[in-house]
Amino acid sequence: MVSFVARRLLVSMPVLLGITVINFFIIKLAPGNPVEMFINPNTPPELIEAKKEMLGLNSPFFVQYWQWLLQLLQGELGYSFSSYAPVAGLIQERIGPTLLLAFSALIAGLLVALPIGIFSAVRHNTKWDYFLTGLSFVGTSLPSFFLALGLLYLFALKLRLLPTGGMQTLNGDGGVLDTLLHLILPVSVLAVVVIGKKIRYVRASMLDVLQQDYLRTARAKGVREFAVTHKHALRNALLPIIAVFGMEIPALLGGSIIIEQIFQWPGIGQLTMQSILSRDYPTLMALNLVAAIVVLTTNLLVDVLYALADPRIKYR
Amino acid sequence: MPEPSREATPLLRADQLSTYYPIRRGVWNRTTGYIRAVDGVTLEVYPGETLGLVGESGCGKSTLGRTLLRLEEPHAGRIYYEGDEVTTLTERRLRPYRTHYQMIFQDPYASLNPRMTAGELVAEPLLAHRLAGKGEALRLAHRLLELVGLPRASAGRYPHQFSGGQRQRIGIARALAVTPKLIVCDEPVSALDVSVQAQILHLLQDLQRELDLTYIFIAHGLGAVHYISTRVAVMYLGTIVEIADKRALFASPKHPYTRMLLNASPVSDPRRRGRAILVPEGDVPSASNPPSGCRFHTRCPIAMPRCVAEEPALTGGAHAVACHYPLGGTGEEETHGLVRRETAAR
Amino acid sequence: MKHVLEIEELTVTFRTENGDVRPVDDISFAVRPGETVCIVGESGSGKSVTSLAILNLLGKGGEIGPGRIRLAGEQLTEKSGAELRKARGKDAAMIFQEPMTTLNPVLTIGDQLREAIRLHAGLRGKAANAYAAELLREAGIARAEQVLKQYPHSLSGGMRQRVVIAMAIAGKPKLLIADEPTTALDVTVQAQILALLKRLRTDHDTAILLITHDLGVVAEMADRVLVMYAGQIVEETDVFTLFDRPLHPYTRGLMKAVPAISDGPDYRLEAIPGSVPDIGRLPQGCRFHPRCPAAADRCRGEMPTLTPAAPAHLVRCWLAGQSPAS
């Protein structure tokens, strides 16, 4: 197991490097540059040229990338082009709220999708099953920004039960309860998408397990039907679900970009949006690097969890 | 059945053939060992004969069958088709030989593409080997389906519309399409209903006579092997422990493992149920780390110190056995002898 | 108690998209204490469905009835779900065909054995563990303590089948129902498992209902034999009579279709033509008539009944009483 993790980490190094090259290239392909984005149109061209020279924007592509990489290898992510603050600090500030949002949505999704999926599978081809499967379909097809706006209108504007955005009330006490209240709407929106997709995974996985021979063995022993489904079947059905939920983390990070905009959530998503608009290359590169690391780590984590949960799997 | 002539060039010959699967471990994924599925097998198959290959699951009989057809890459050793060495031929150079060496499988359903009709399935190898045009291939396919005893209308039907026995007939027709000389039959009747097995065995026998076919018949059921084979090889942990004419092998097995295998097979006679049944103790050892000396010594009731130290070679001409202390005599008294010797050894 | 198991006029119906099918159609038989009864048949004969119907393990879509099942003197067909569950593993226990899939892959052998012990012996904790080890040793597993901690995937097929047998005898059942217990195993392992079943029978006077397609296994194990074809019993008698004087053309055909190992000259097997009928499309009259070499007009139009052709020898064939056609 240890050597499996070590091998996977080794393999992920060149993958990570490749991702940064491609990202760098794509970012450079986007029209415009940081200087043009910020400077008053009346600024004399010489000044713009000087500024570009200073930021190293006139060097060839590979030189720019090489410089960025050298910097990275020294543990330096550089300074933001727009705010001149250290990029590392910017990300550090923002990553916490985003992870909070994503993992809350994941857990909420799991807590809802699991019981519904199991129920649907146990009662498969009944009216309940059709109703719940239909509901999950609606959940998947509903555009999340639309749902977000709808919920905002209803709960924040009409009923005034929940805050419209942000992570904490301005000038509030900054308590846990306050943050929880702010979490409810964005988490709900992200979770609905997760739930919609996952109900069907859970249902399918459980249906598959429900047909296995070892459940018949358990019944033949005289085990109660509830224990047959919730002890014998569920443990097996959860195995593929671990992988499926693990893969959801990158998707949640992507989804949070829009949701963070709508709810003014002070996370990575907002920072990403701002950096794209201002062509803030160092921040964008760092954000992409973080995203790539998150994806690679979750994949590894899923594989490790899988091996821990399934006695049949052994990595060498 | 035509008597195979031993003077002829073997249709197929394997010389010290081994098929290993690597076991990889560690950070650098280095190969730290091998599963020795087939380990140093030498055998010859003569035109017109049926060589039965028996052994328990994991003994390497299927892997051997696949390796002989170069469907698995051998780790060491050589394979000859009618005297030509083909061990290392590229897929392109192997092509002309491929048509002469075919295979049929245990589960015909898994080996038939469900979206193709029976006619298309049988025509497919003809088209793949460019032996016929499309129309010609389909015409031949009709003839072949009829040859294996399927009704005329079956060419247009899909695999799921056939019974297990009929699917096996399609599998056989497909193997015959390229006019093979040798067919490796890998457990062709094991998945079929008892009442249908005999039909398929008959078909194989009839085709052999009509088309001068040679078979390697792989099975774990001794009854079918005894019925259809002319010679039988017994495998244990990747090696052949005994090979002889069917009659000699079944009447007077020389290897203790062969004797136990025969003895353990249920007999369709309730009056013989009281007979002493002696079976090897415990489980088959791992093929990644086979026992020293004779591989069977860990489970052999008559193993001696020499068996632990020295690997016995397969010797003895027409009735070859790989055992330092081969058994003589015949029948049940010999089994009782084994029991006595086992008791004495303890 | 005269019989451990009595089945009277049992029918099992499955609802399918193409209408109802009856894989088991009006069968009656009984098993005495300590007796081994074999049900022989091929795919679609209804032998496995019969074995599952006894403890009502048919699953969705399978309905029992009409018919009566009496197990250990109690009428099972009138019992509620909870009462029936108590009979499972206690009055009768089952052993299944595929040892590779009948054990839960994510629970240890110990977990699965202790569950049966808790249900039927009322033991927990250390006592349950000690009993579990004892059961494994009884089933012929020497290093029992070690095996208890292992997961099914690390055991060979034969070992797993021993575990399933150990689990089945946890409640000291009066009847063991074994559905093709050795079909997936190698011959040497099969011989070991059959020997184990024989030992359990003599040591505990357990009755065995053994479902198989293998006449060799029947000859090895049975006291009495039921031959099933297309959902019906076609012949029933003791094992010696069956092998000496089979009366139903299907039984005879089956015996001649199996290659035997003998020193005799080369011979030609006698195949039964055609294939086992689809349970949804059964022929009129005798269900075997399309494959029967002796079929007469009466066989095509009228279904024969299961009648005594000799004392304790039942046959479902119009021609059985006449000259034995060979």
Side-chain angles (χ1 to χ4, degrees), chain B residues 56-57 193-195 199 202 205-206 222-223 226-227 246-247 250 266-271 273 275 279-280 283, chain C residues 42-43 156 186 188 190 192 219-220 222 239 243-244 259 261-264 266-269 272-274 276 291:
Chain B
E56 298 183 279
S57 47
D193 272 317
V194 177
S195 69
Q199 296 173 8
H202 280 173
Q205 285 182 316
D206 296 345
L222 292 180
H226 177 269
Y227 177 69
K246 166 174 77 177
R247 268 167 211 295
F250 280 85
V267 179
S268 288
D269 181 357
R271 289 199 166 75
R273 60 166 68 166
R275 72 189 190 281
V279 292
D283 285 337
Chain C
E42 299 177 277
S43 61
S156 68
D186 282 318
T188 59
Q190 164 167 287
Q192 291 170 0
E220 211 66 65
V239 69
F243 280 90
D244 288 347
I261 300 166
S262 69
D263 315 336
D266 279 343
Y267 63 103
R268 184 102 166 144
L269 279 177
I272 304 177
V276 177
R291 305 177 72 191

Short mmCIF file of all heavy atoms in Angstrom, two decimals, chain B residues 56-57 193-195 199 202 205-206 222-223 226-227 246-247 250 266-271 273 275 279-280 283, chain C residues 42-43 156 186 188 190 192 219-220 222 239 243-244 259 261-264 266-269 272-274 276 291:
data_model
loop_
_atom_site.label_atom_id
_atom_site.label_comp_id
_atom_site.label_asym_id
_atom_site.label_seq_id
_atom_site.Cartn_x
_atom_site.Cartn_y
_atom_site.Cartn_z
N GLU B 56 -6.96 -30.16 -12.85
CA GLU B 56 -7.93 -29.37 -12.10
C GLU B 56 -7.74 -27.89 -12.39
O GLU B 56 -6.74 -27.49 -13.00
CB GLU B 56 -7.78 -29.68 -10.62
CG GLU B 56 -8.07 -31.15 -10.35
CD GLU B 56 -7.99 -31.49 -8.89
OE1 GLU B 56 -6.88 -31.68 -8.38
OE2 GLU B 56 -9.04 -31.55 -8.26
N SER B 57 -8.69 -27.07 -11.95
CA SER B 57 -8.60 -25.65 -12.26
C SER B 57 -7.28 -25.08 -11.75
O SER B 57 -6.83 -25.44 -10.67
CB SER B 57 -9.78 -24.89 -11.65
OG SER B 57 -9.97 -25.27 -10.31
N ASP B 193 -26.06 -28.75 -20.98
CA ASP B 193 -26.89 -29.74 -20.32
C ASP B 193 -26.39 -31.14 -20.63
O ASP B 193 -25.91 -31.40 -21.74
CB ASP B 193 -28.34 -29.62 -20.82
CG ASP B 193 -29.13 -28.62 -20.00
OD1 ASP B 193 -28.99 -28.64 -18.77
OD2 ASP B 193 -29.86 -27.82 -20.60
N VAL B 194 -26.51 -32.03 -19.65
CA VAL B 194 -25.99 -33.39 -19.82
C VAL B 194 -26.54 -34.04 -21.09
O VAL B 194 -25.80 -34.66 -21.85
CB VAL B 194 -26.37 -34.24 -18.59
CG1 VAL B 194 -25.90 -35.67 -18.77
CG2 VAL B 194 -25.77 -33.65 -17.33
N SER B 195 -27.85 -33.85 -21.34
CA SER B 195 -28.44 -34.54 -22.48
C SER B 195 -27.96 -33.96 -23.80
O SER B 195 -28.13 -34.56 -24.85
CB SER B 195 -29.97 -34.48 -22.40
OG SER B 195 -30.44 -33.17 -22.62
N GLN B 199 -24.52 -34.87 -27.84
CA GLN B 199 -24.70 -34.40 -29.23
C GLN B 199 -23.45 -33.70 -29.73
O GLN B 199 -23.01 -33.92 -30.87
CB GLN B 199 -25.87 -33.41 -29.30
CG GLN B 199 -27.22 -33.98 -28.95
CD GLN B 199 -28.28 -32.89 -28.88
OE1 GLN B 199 -28.02 -31.75 -29.25
NE2 GLN B 199 -29.46 -33.24 -28.40
N HIS B 202 -20.63 -36.12 -30.29
CA HIS B 202 -20.86 -36.81 -31.58
C HIS B 202 -20.44 -35.94 -32.74
O HIS B 202 -19.76 -36.39 -33.66
CB HIS B 202 -22.36 -37.12 -31.75
CG HIS B 202 -22.78 -38.33 -31.01
ND1 HIS B 202 -24.10 -38.71 -30.91
CD2 HIS B 202 -22.08 -39.26 -30.34
CE1 HIS B 202 -24.18 -39.82 -30.20
NE2 HIS B 202 -22.96 -40.16 -29.84
N GLN B 205 -16.78 -35.81 -33.14
CA GLN B 205 -16.28 -37.07 -33.70
C GLN B 205 -16.54 -37.18 -35.20
O GLN B 205 -15.66 -37.54 -35.97
CB GLN B 205 -16.95 -38.26 -32.99
CG GLN B 205 -16.44 -38.52 -31.61
CD GLN B 205 -17.13 -39.74 -31.00
OE1 GLN B 205 -18.35 -39.89 -31.11
NE2 GLN B 205 -16.36 -40.60 -30.35
N ASP B 206 -17.78 -36.83 -35.58
CA ASP B 206 -18.14 -36.95 -37.00
C ASP B 206 -17.31 -36.01 -37.85
O ASP B 206 -16.83 -36.37 -38.93
CB ASP B 206 -19.63 -36.66 -37.19
CG ASP B 206 -20.51 -37.70 -36.49
OD1 ASP B 206 -19.96 -38.76 -36.13
OD2 ASP B 206 -21.71 -37.44 -36.30
N LEU B 222 -13.44 -36.17 -16.58
CA LEU B 222 -12.69 -37.30 -17.13
C LEU B 222 -13.52 -38.13 -18.10
O LEU B 222 -12.98 -38.70 -19.05
CB LEU B 222 -12.18 -38.19 -16.00
CG LEU B 222 -11.11 -37.56 -15.11
CD1 LEU B 222 -10.69 -38.53 -14.04
CD2 LEU B 222 -9.92 -37.15 -15.96
N GLY B 223 -14.84 -38.17 -17.88
CA GLY B 223 -15.70 -38.99 -18.73
C GLY B 223 -15.61 -38.57 -20.19
O GLY B 223 -15.36 -39.39 -21.08
N HIS B 226 -12.17 -39.25 -21.66
CA HIS B 226 -11.99 -40.67 -21.93
C HIS B 226 -12.73 -41.08 -23.20
O HIS B 226 -12.24 -41.85 -24.01
CB HIS B 226 -12.52 -41.49 -20.75
CG HIS B 226 -12.44 -42.97 -20.96
ND1 HIS B 226 -13.47 -43.70 -21.51
CD2 HIS B 226 -11.45 -43.85 -20.71
CE1 HIS B 226 -13.11 -44.96 -21.60
NE2 HIS B 226 -11.89 -45.08 -21.11
N TYR B 227 -13.91 -40.51 -23.39
CA TYR B 227 -14.73 -40.88 -24.52
C TYR B 227 -14.12 -40.45 -25.84
O TYR B 227 -14.08 -41.20 -26.81
CB TYR B 227 -16.13 -40.27 -24.37
CG TYR B 227 -17.04 -40.56 -25.53
CD1 TYR B 227 -17.51 -41.85 -25.76
CD2 TYR B 227 -17.42 -39.55 -26.40
CE1 TYR B 227 -18.34 -42.13 -26.82
CE2 TYR B 227 -18.25 -39.82 -27.48
CZ TYR B 227 -18.70 -41.12 -27.69
OH TYR B 227 -19.52 -41.39 -28.75
N LYS B 246 -4.97 -43.43 -24.29
CA LYS B 246 -6.11 -43.39 -23.38
C LYS B 246 -6.25 -44.67 -22.56
O LYS B 246 -6.33 -44.63 -21.35
CB LYS B 246 -7.37 -43.17 -24.22
CG LYS B 246 -8.65 -43.44 -23.47
CD LYS B 246 -9.85 -43.07 -24.28
CE LYS B 246 -10.15 -44.08 -25.35
NZ LYS B 246 -11.38 -43.70 -26.09
N ARG B 247 -6.21 -45.81 -23.26
CA ARG B 247 -6.44 -47.07 -22.59
C ARG B 247 -5.43 -47.32 -21.48
O ARG B 247 -5.76 -47.67 -20.36
CB ARG B 247 -6.38 -48.22 -23.58
CG ARG B 247 -7.72 -48.53 -24.12
CD ARG B 247 -7.64 -49.46 -25.33
NE ARG B 247 -8.74 -49.14 -26.20
CZ ARG B 247 -10.01 -49.32 -25.85
NH1 ARG B 247 -10.31 -49.84 -24.68
NH2 ARG B 247 -10.97 -48.99 -26.66
N PHE B 250 -5.90 -44.81 -18.47
CA PHE B 250 -7.04 -45.03 -17.60
C PHE B 250 -6.99 -46.40 -16.93
O PHE B 250 -7.47 -46.58 -15.82
CB PHE B 250 -8.36 -44.87 -18.38
CG PHE B 250 -8.74 -43.42 -18.56
CD1 PHE B 250 -8.24 -42.68 -19.62
CD2 PHE B 250 -9.59 -42.79 -17.65
CE1 PHE B 250 -8.59 -41.34 -19.78
CE2 PHE B 250 -9.93 -41.46 -17.80
CZ PHE B 250 -9.43 -40.72 -18.87
N PRO B 266 -16.69 -39.49 -9.60
CA PRO B 266 -17.82 -40.31 -9.21
C PRO B 266 -18.16 -41.34 -10.29
O PRO B 266 -18.02 -41.07 -11.48
CB PRO B 266 -18.95 -39.31 -9.03
CG PRO B 266 -18.49 -38.02 -9.55
CD PRO B 266 -17.04 -38.08 -9.75
N VAL B 267 -18.56 -42.50 -9.85
CA VAL B 267 -18.89 -43.59 -10.77
C VAL B 267 -20.40 -43.76 -10.77
O VAL B 267 -21.03 -43.74 -9.72
CB VAL B 267 -18.22 -44.90 -10.29
CG1 VAL B 267 -18.57 -46.04 -11.23
CG2 VAL B 267 -16.73 -44.72 -10.19
N SER B 268 -20.99 -43.90 -11.97
CA SER B 268 -22.44 -44.03 -12.04
C SER B 268 -22.89 -45.44 -11.69
O SER B 268 -23.56 -46.10 -12.47
CB SER B 268 -22.93 -43.68 -13.45
OG SER B 268 -22.83 -42.30 -13.65
N ASP B 269 -22.50 -45.90 -10.52
CA ASP B 269 -22.90 -47.22 -10.08
C ASP B 269 -22.99 -47.22 -8.56
O ASP B 269 -21.98 -47.22 -7.87
CB ASP B 269 -21.87 -48.27 -10.54
CG ASP B 269 -22.26 -49.67 -10.10
OD1 ASP B 269 -23.29 -49.82 -9.41
OD2 ASP B 269 -21.52 -50.60 -10.44
N PRO B 270 -24.22 -47.20 -8.04
CA PRO B 270 -24.37 -47.08 -6.58
C PRO B 270 -23.73 -48.25 -5.83
O PRO B 270 -23.44 -48.13 -4.65
CB PRO B 270 -25.89 -47.04 -6.39
CG PRO B 270 -26.49 -47.50 -7.66
CD PRO B 270 -25.51 -47.22 -8.74
N ARG B 271 -23.50 -49.37 -6.49
CA ARG B 271 -22.92 -50.52 -5.78
C ARG B 271 -21.44 -50.33 -5.50
O ARG B 271 -20.84 -51.07 -4.75
CB ARG B 271 -23.15 -51.80 -6.59
CG ARG B 271 -24.61 -52.16 -6.55
CD ARG B 271 -24.92 -53.58 -6.89
NE ARG B 271 -26.30 -53.85 -6.48
CZ ARG B 271 -27.35 -53.41 -7.16
NH1 ARG B 271 -27.20 -52.72 -8.27
NH2 ARG B 271 -28.56 -53.66 -6.72
N ARG B 273 -20.18 -47.48 -4.35
CA ARG B 273 -19.98 -46.29 -3.52
C ARG B 273 -19.14 -46.58 -2.29
O ARG B 273 -18.62 -45.67 -1.67
CB ARG B 273 -21.32 -45.68 -3.13
CG ARG B 273 -22.22 -46.60 -2.36
CD ARG B 273 -23.36 -45.84 -1.73
NE ARG B 273 -24.32 -45.32 -2.68
CZ ARG B 273 -25.51 -44.87 -2.33
NH1 ARG B 273 -25.89 -44.88 -1.07
NH2 ARG B 273 -26.35 -44.41 -3.24
N ARG B 275 -16.31 -48.03 -2.24
CA ARG B 275 -14.89 -48.16 -2.56
C ARG B 275 -14.06 -47.10 -1.82
O ARG B 275 -14.55 -46.03 -1.48
CB ARG B 275 -14.68 -48.01 -4.07
CG ARG B 275 -14.86 -46.60 -4.56
CD ARG B 275 -14.87 -46.55 -6.07
NE ARG B 275 -14.80 -45.18 -6.55
CZ ARG B 275 -15.82 -44.34 -6.59
NH1 ARG B 275 -17.00 -44.74 -6.15
NH2 ARG B 275 -15.67 -43.12 -7.03
N VAL B 279 -8.04 -39.01 -1.91
CA VAL B 279 -7.84 -37.77 -2.65
C VAL B 279 -6.67 -37.01 -2.04
O VAL B 279 -6.36 -37.17 -0.87
CB VAL B 279 -9.11 -36.88 -2.62
CG1 VAL B 279 -10.21 -37.52 -3.41
CG2 VAL B 279 -9.55 -36.59 -1.21
N PRO B 280 -6.01 -36.18 -2.87
CA PRO B 280 -4.90 -35.41 -2.33
C PRO B 280 -5.39 -34.49 -1.22
O PRO B 280 -6.48 -33.91 -1.31
CB PRO B 280 -4.40 -34.61 -3.53
CG PRO B 280 -5.27 -34.91 -4.67
CD PRO B 280 -6.26 -35.94 -4.27
N ASP B 283 -4.96 -27.96 -0.37
CA ASP B 283 -5.18 -27.23 -1.62
C ASP B 283 -3.95 -27.32 -2.52
O ASP B 283 -2.86 -27.64 -2.08
CB ASP B 283 -5.47 -25.76 -1.32
CG ASP B 283 -6.89 -25.59 -0.78
OD1 ASP B 283 -7.72 -26.47 -1.05
OD2 ASP B 283 -7.13 -24.60 -0.08
N GLU C 42 -31.93 -31.40 -15.48
CA GLU C 42 -31.08 -30.48 -16.22
C GLU C 42 -31.60 -29.07 -16.01
O GLU C 42 -32.51 -28.84 -15.22
CB GLU C 42 -31.11 -30.85 -17.69
CG GLU C 42 -30.58 -32.24 -17.96
CD GLU C 42 -30.71 -32.57 -19.44
OE1 GLU C 42 -31.79 -32.99 -19.85
OE2 GLU C 42 -29.74 -32.37 -20.15
N SER C 43 -31.06 -28.13 -16.77
CA SER C 43 -31.54 -26.76 -16.64
C SER C 43 -33.03 -26.72 -16.99
O SER C 43 -33.47 -27.42 -17.89
CB SER C 43 -30.75 -25.84 -17.57
OG SER C 43 -30.93 -26.23 -18.91
N SER C 156 -9.83 -20.90 -1.14
CA SER C 156 -10.13 -21.63 -2.37
C SER C 156 -11.61 -22.02 -2.40
O SER C 156 -12.30 -21.94 -1.38
CB SER C 156 -9.27 -22.90 -2.44
OG SER C 156 -9.70 -23.80 -1.44
N ASP C 186 -13.54 -28.87 -8.42
CA ASP C 186 -12.77 -29.91 -9.09
C ASP C 186 -13.11 -31.28 -8.51
O ASP C 186 -13.56 -31.38 -7.38
CB ASP C 186 -11.28 -29.64 -8.88
CG ASP C 186 -10.79 -28.56 -9.82
OD1 ASP C 186 -11.19 -28.58 -10.99
OD2 ASP C 186 -10.03 -27.70 -9.38
N THR C 188 -11.39 -33.77 -7.27
CA THR C 188 -10.81 -34.20 -5.99
C THR C 188 -11.46 -33.46 -4.83
O THR C 188 -11.70 -34.02 -3.77
CB THR C 188 -9.28 -34.00 -5.96
OG1 THR C 188 -8.99 -32.63 -6.17
CG2 THR C 188 -8.59 -34.83 -7.02
N GLN C 190 -14.50 -32.21 -4.98
CA GLN C 190 -15.86 -32.75 -4.94
C GLN C 190 -15.90 -34.00 -4.07
O GLN C 190 -16.79 -34.14 -3.22
CB GLN C 190 -16.33 -33.09 -6.35
CG GLN C 190 -17.55 -33.99 -6.37
CD GLN C 190 -18.18 -34.07 -7.75
OE1 GLN C 190 -18.81 -33.13 -8.21
NE2 GLN C 190 -18.00 -35.20 -8.40
N GLN C 192 -13.95 -34.75 -1.64
CA GLN C 192 -13.81 -34.35 -0.23
C GLN C 192 -15.12 -33.83 0.34
O GLN C 192 -15.51 -34.20 1.46
CB GLN C 192 -12.74 -33.25 -0.11
CG GLN C 192 -11.33 -33.72 -0.40
CD GLN C 192 -10.35 -32.55 -0.51
OE1 GLN C 192 -10.73 -31.39 -0.37
NE2 GLN C 192 -9.09 -32.86 -0.77
N ALA C 219 -25.31 -41.58 -7.73
CA ALA C 219 -24.91 -42.95 -7.40
C ALA C 219 -24.08 -42.97 -6.12
O ALA C 219 -24.15 -43.91 -5.33
CB ALA C 219 -24.11 -43.56 -8.55
N GLU C 220 -23.31 -41.92 -5.92
CA GLU C 220 -22.41 -41.82 -4.77
C GLU C 220 -23.18 -41.55 -3.47
O GLU C 220 -22.79 -42.01 -2.41
CB GLU C 220 -21.44 -40.67 -5.05
CG GLU C 220 -20.06 -40.80 -4.46
CD GLU C 220 -19.26 -41.94 -5.06
OE1 GLU C 220 -18.92 -41.94 -6.26
OE2 GLU C 220 -18.98 -42.86 -4.27
N ALA C 222 -27.14 -40.97 -3.02
CA ALA C 222 -28.58 -41.03 -2.78
C ALA C 222 -29.05 -42.32 -2.12
O ALA C 222 -28.47 -43.38 -2.30
CB ALA C 222 -29.32 -40.86 -4.11
N VAL C 239 -32.20 -45.71 -5.17
CA VAL C 239 -31.08 -45.50 -6.07
C VAL C 239 -30.69 -46.77 -6.83
O VAL C 239 -30.33 -46.73 -8.00
CB VAL C 239 -29.88 -44.88 -5.32
CG1 VAL C 239 -29.28 -45.87 -4.34
CG2 VAL C 239 -28.83 -44.36 -6.28
N PHE C 243 -30.76 -47.22 -11.04
CA PHE C 243 -29.63 -47.54 -11.93
C PHE C 243 -29.78 -48.93 -12.56
O PHE C 243 -29.30 -49.16 -13.66
CB PHE C 243 -28.31 -47.42 -11.17
CG PHE C 243 -27.85 -46.00 -11.03
CD1 PHE C 243 -28.21 -45.23 -9.94
CD2 PHE C 243 -27.07 -45.40 -12.02
CE1 PHE C 243 -27.81 -43.91 -9.83
CE2 PHE C 243 -26.66 -44.09 -11.92
CZ PHE C 243 -27.04 -43.33 -10.82
N ASP C 244 -30.45 -49.85 -11.87
CA ASP C 244 -30.63 -51.20 -12.42
C ASP C 244 -31.73 -51.23 -13.48
O ASP C 244 -31.59 -51.87 -14.52
CB ASP C 244 -31.01 -52.19 -11.31
CG ASP C 244 -29.84 -52.47 -10.39
OD1 ASP C 244 -28.71 -52.10 -10.79
OD2 ASP C 244 -30.04 -53.04 -9.30
N PRO C 259 -20.76 -40.22 -20.71
CA PRO C 259 -19.66 -41.12 -20.98
C PRO C 259 -19.11 -41.70 -19.68
O PRO C 259 -18.88 -40.97 -18.72
CB PRO C 259 -18.62 -40.24 -21.68
CG PRO C 259 -19.01 -38.84 -21.41
CD PRO C 259 -20.46 -38.82 -21.04
N ILE C 261 -16.16 -44.12 -17.69
CA ILE C 261 -14.79 -44.58 -17.86
C ILE C 261 -14.78 -46.09 -17.70
O ILE C 261 -15.09 -46.62 -16.65
CB ILE C 261 -13.88 -43.93 -16.81
CG1 ILE C 261 -13.92 -42.41 -16.97
CG2 ILE C 261 -12.46 -44.45 -16.92
CD1 ILE C 261 -13.36 -41.66 -15.81
N SER C 262 -14.50 -46.80 -18.81
CA SER C 262 -14.50 -48.26 -18.72
C SER C 262 -13.39 -48.80 -19.61
O SER C 262 -12.85 -48.09 -20.46
CB SER C 262 -15.84 -48.80 -19.20
OG SER C 262 -15.95 -48.58 -20.59
N ASP C 263 -13.04 -50.06 -19.38
CA ASP C 263 -11.98 -50.65 -20.19
C ASP C 263 -12.53 -51.25 -21.48
O ASP C 263 -11.79 -51.77 -22.29
CB ASP C 263 -11.27 -51.78 -19.42
CG ASP C 263 -10.95 -51.38 -18.01
OD1 ASP C 263 -10.86 -50.16 -17.77
OD2 ASP C 263 -10.81 -52.27 -17.14
N GLY C 264 -13.86 -51.20 -21.63
CA GLY C 264 -14.50 -51.83 -22.77
C GLY C 264 -14.06 -51.22 -24.09
O GLY C 264 -13.31 -50.26 -24.13
N ASP C 266 -14.28 -49.22 -27.79
CA ASP C 266 -14.86 -47.93 -28.14
C ASP C 266 -16.33 -48.10 -28.46
O ASP C 266 -16.73 -49.08 -29.07
CB ASP C 266 -14.13 -47.35 -29.36
CG ASP C 266 -12.84 -46.69 -28.94
OD1 ASP C 266 -12.69 -46.41 -27.73
OD2 ASP C 266 -11.98 -46.48 -29.81
N TYR C 267 -17.12 -47.16 -28.02
CA TYR C 267 -18.55 -47.26 -28.25
C TYR C 267 -19.05 -45.88 -28.63
O TYR C 267 -18.33 -44.89 -28.54
CB TYR C 267 -19.26 -47.77 -26.99
CG TYR C 267 -19.12 -46.83 -25.83
CD1 TYR C 267 -20.16 -45.99 -25.45
CD2 TYR C 267 -17.92 -46.74 -25.12
CE1 TYR C 267 -20.02 -45.11 -24.39
CE2 TYR C 267 -17.77 -45.86 -24.07
CZ TYR C 267 -18.82 -45.05 -23.70
OH TYR C 267 -18.67 -44.16 -22.68
N ARG C 268 -20.31 -45.85 -29.05
CA ARG C 268 -20.92 -44.58 -29.42
C ARG C 268 -21.92 -44.21 -28.33
O ARG C 268 -22.78 -45.02 -27.98
CB ARG C 268 -21.63 -44.76 -30.76
CG ARG C 268 -22.22 -43.51 -31.30
CD ARG C 268 -21.36 -42.93 -32.40
NE ARG C 268 -22.10 -41.92 -33.13
CZ ARG C 268 -21.54 -40.82 -33.61
NH1 ARG C 268 -20.25 -40.59 -33.42
NH2 ARG C 268 -22.25 -39.95 -34.28
N LEU C 269 -21.78 -43.01 -27.78
CA LEU C 269 -22.76 -42.54 -26.81
C LEU C 269 -24.12 -42.43 -27.49
O LEU C 269 -24.19 -42.26 -28.70
CB LEU C 269 -22.38 -41.14 -26.32
CG LEU C 269 -21.33 -40.99 -25.24
CD1 LEU C 269 -21.10 -39.51 -25.00
CD2 LEU C 269 -21.74 -41.66 -23.96
N ILE C 272 -29.53 -37.73 -26.52
CA ILE C 272 -30.96 -37.42 -26.56
C ILE C 272 -31.12 -36.30 -27.58
O ILE C 272 -30.48 -35.26 -27.43
CB ILE C 272 -31.48 -36.98 -25.19
CG1 ILE C 272 -31.19 -38.06 -24.14
CG2 ILE C 272 -32.97 -36.67 -25.25
CD1 ILE C 272 -31.61 -37.69 -22.74
N PRO C 273 -31.93 -36.49 -28.60
CA PRO C 273 -32.04 -35.43 -29.61
C PRO C 273 -32.71 -34.17 -29.04
O PRO C 273 -33.36 -34.23 -28.00
CB PRO C 273 -32.91 -36.06 -30.70
CG PRO C 273 -33.67 -37.13 -30.00
CD PRO C 273 -32.79 -37.64 -28.91
N GLY C 274 -32.54 -33.05 -29.74
CA GLY C 274 -33.20 -31.80 -29.34
C GLY C 274 -32.60 -31.19 -28.10
O GLY C 274 -31.53 -31.59 -27.66
N VAL C 276 -33.48 -29.17 -24.07
CA VAL C 276 -34.41 -29.03 -22.96
C VAL C 276 -35.44 -27.95 -23.31
O VAL C 276 -35.07 -26.87 -23.76
CB VAL C 276 -33.61 -28.62 -21.70
CG1 VAL C 276 -34.53 -28.39 -20.53
CG2 VAL C 276 -32.56 -29.67 -21.38
N ARG C 291 -38.66 -35.43 -27.67
CA ARG C 291 -37.30 -35.96 -27.66
C ARG C 291 -37.31 -37.47 -27.41
O ARG C 291 -36.24 -38.08 -27.31
CB ARG C 291 -36.50 -35.28 -26.56
CG ARG C 291 -36.48 -33.75 -26.68
CD ARG C 291 -35.72 -33.11 -25.53
NE ARG C 291 -34.29 -33.33 -25.63
CZ ARG C 291 -33.44 -33.05 -24.65
NH1 ARG C 291 -33.88 -32.58 -23.51
NH2 ARG C 291 -32.16 -33.26 -24.81
#
